[in-house]
Amino acid sequence: MRLTSKGRYAVMALVDLARFDNITPVSLRDISLRQGISLDFLEQIFSKLRKKEIVQSIRGTQGGYILNRKAKEIKLTNIFDAVDEKVKTVQCKKESKKGCNGKTTKCLTHNLWDELESHINNFFEEKSLEDLVKDNAERRV
Amino acid sequence: MRLTSKGRYAVMALVDLARFDNITPVSLRDISLRQGISLDFLEQIFSKLRKKEIVQSIRGTQGGYILNRKAKEIKLTNIFDAVDEKVKTVQCKKESKKGCNGKTTKCLTHNLWDELESHINNFFEEKSLEDLVKDNAERRV
DNA sequence: GTGAAACTTGACTATTTTAGTCAGGTATAT
DNA sequence: ATATACCTGACTAAAATAGTCAAGTTTCAC
């Protein structure tokens, strides 16, 4: 199981963004340079973050992005959800070979994968952007 | 993040195998039919499981595989390790653009990914094959 | 001893996902 | 005006995934 770059970059970029005052917009160009992430790719990512109201955009010169909510209220789960970084442990669909549809008939290990999914998602639900910024500030002392 | 079929199948197949007495070998053909997994693919998987001494093979007619250790002593982490199902949250290598090498200079979110990795691996280290078989037996009552 | 069952191995391949790139836009501060 | 920066959709190279295929070898049952 691996985390995709899209998900990782989204979090990295938002942590970078959250370090600022949240009044003056931060341009993607700056984030791109600081974090070493392609500008074009960042634009794709922020387009999704904006649609899910995690960030707010300010167009034009001196424009950029600011957080749309308090860092405390943005959980990792919200970020991953926005960029379609899903935790998937099963493939089981309605019509499976072995009749595992997740409801009436379950495959031998279905509960295990459900548990695993919850376990990972719990982690994402607990961590907020604020936690990450704080954590980072502490380590720099 | 998604679990690969290889990892999922490895666990499914071993749970299936572990349900038996562990004396008479179970053929991959049977597992293949019961679990709906391609025989050729299973052979690849079991070849790795054998090399890591998780299963033992018995060749010839009436042959098959049996567990090489007690189900209690086979953890998910051993299984995933055997089939190269790794939990990877970072790409950071020795020479990274932003100088994140995981040691001297760390990227803004490096600790987060380390934490996530541990969180997931903990789950895999706790669960044993025995747990899974028992869990399954209970639910069938 | 011979045939079938089942393990063994390595190479090959189609499909899907990932990780971007590219080319055009539009809005706005100066 | 014009440069900066957001916005959008289409496209693509590379990697990973999920197998398949072919050609063995071993051993049991008869």
Side-chain angles (χ1 to χ4, degrees):
Chain A
M1 336 187 55
R2 32 197 287 283
L3 190 69
T4 67
S5 291
K6 194 161 62 174
R8 199 180 325 107
Y9 288 168
V11 176
M12 283 169 68
L14 284 175
V15 171
D16 187 332
L17 183 60
R19 292 181 306 168
F20 298 95
D21 58 12
N22 207 20
I23 296 162
T24 25
V26 178
S27 76
L28 291 190
R29 195 173 159 281
D30 286 355
I31 296 178
S32 161
L33 290 171
R34 276 195 297 263
Q35 304 300 327
I37 305 169
S38 141
L39 178 58
D40 284 319
F41 201 20
L42 271 180
E43 276 170 350
Q44 277 188 38
I45 293 169
F46 272 75
S47 161
K48 295 185 179 209
L49 292 173
R50 187 176 56 81
K51 279 171 191 157
K52 289 293 174 106
E53 299 180 319
I54 289 170
V55 295
Q56 205 181 321
S57 71
I58 289 127
R59 301 182 75 157
T61 321
Q62 310 298 334
Y65 287 91
I66 55 171
L67 292 184
N68 197 35
R69 310 182 228 159
K70 286 175 189 162
K72 198 177 183 173
E73 279 146 26
I74 300 172
K75 307 290 185 186
L76 277 199
T77 200
N78 305 133
I79 302 172
F80 284 143
D81 183 55
V83 299
D84 308 305
E85 172 83 31
K86 284 170 199 136
V87 178
K88 291 197 77 176
T89 54
V90 271
Q91 293 296 69
C92 318
K93 290 184 180 176
K94 278 177 187 174
E95 308 297 331
S96 155
K97 284 178 199 167
K98 289 282 106 178
C100 175
N101 52 25
K103 289 186 177 180
T104 49
T105 5
K106 288 192 181 179
C107 53
L108 232 47
T109 47
H110 201 102
N111 290 301
L112 172 69
W113 310 128
D114 277 350
E115 260 186 77
L116 173 58
E117 229 174 80
S118 302
H119 183 75
I120 299 175
N121 282 320
N122 283 346
F123 183 88
F124 294 151
E125 273 155 30
E126 279 164 18
K127 287 269 174 194
S128 77
L129 213 49
E130 192 188 53
D131 296 335
L132 299 180
V133 175
K134 275 187 178 170
D135 186 56
N136 205 264
E138 278 167 26
R139 281 168 211 273
R140 295 203 172 262
V141 177
Chain B
M1 334 188 57
R2 30 198 287 282
L3 190 70
T4 67
S5 290
K6 194 162 60 172
R8 199 179 326 107
Y9 288 168
V11 177
M12 283 168 68
L14 284 175
V15 171
D16 187 333
L17 183 60
R19 292 181 306 166
F20 297 94
D21 59 12
N22 207 21
I23 295 164
T24 26
V26 178
S27 76
L28 292 190
R29 195 172 158 280
D30 286 353
I31 296 179
S32 161
L33 289 172
R34 276 195 296 264
Q35 304 301 326
I37 304 169
S38 140
L39 178 59
D40 283 319
F41 201 19
L42 270 181
E43 275 169 351
Q44 276 187 41
I45 292 169
F46 273 74
S47 162
K48 293 183 181 212
L49 292 174
R50 187 176 54 82
K51 277 172 192 157
K52 290 293 172 105
E53 300 178 320
I54 289 170
V55 295
Q56 206 181 318
S57 72
I58 288 124
R59 301 182 76 159
T61 320
Q62 312 295 336
Y65 288 91
I66 54 170
L67 293 184
N68 197 34
R69 310 183 228 159
K70 285 175 190 162
K72 198 178 185 173
E73 279 147 28
I74 300 172
K75 307 290 184 186
L76 278 199
T77 200
N78 304 133
I79 301 171
F80 285 142
D81 184 54
V83 299
D84 307 306
E85 173 83 30
K86 284 170 199 136
V87 178
K88 291 198 75 174
T89 53
V90 271
Q91 293 296 69
C92 317
K93 289 185 182 177
K94 277 177 186 173
E95 309 295 332
S96 155
K97 285 176 196 167
K98 290 279 108 180
C100 175
N101 53 24
K103 288 186 177 180
T104 50
T105 7
K106 287 192 181 180
C107 53
L108 233 46
T109 47
H110 200 103
N111 290 302
L112 172 68
W113 310 128
D114 277 350
E115 261 185 76
L116 173 57
E117 229 174 81
S118 302
H119 184 76
I120 299 175
N121 282 321
N122 282 347
F123 183 88
F124 294 151
E125 274 155 30
E126 280 165 17
K127 287 270 174 194
S128 77
L129 213 49
E130 192 188 52
D131 296 335
L132 299 179
V133 175
K134 274 188 179 171
D135 186 57
N136 204 265
E138 277 167 26
R139 281 170 211 272
R140 294 201 172 262
V141 176

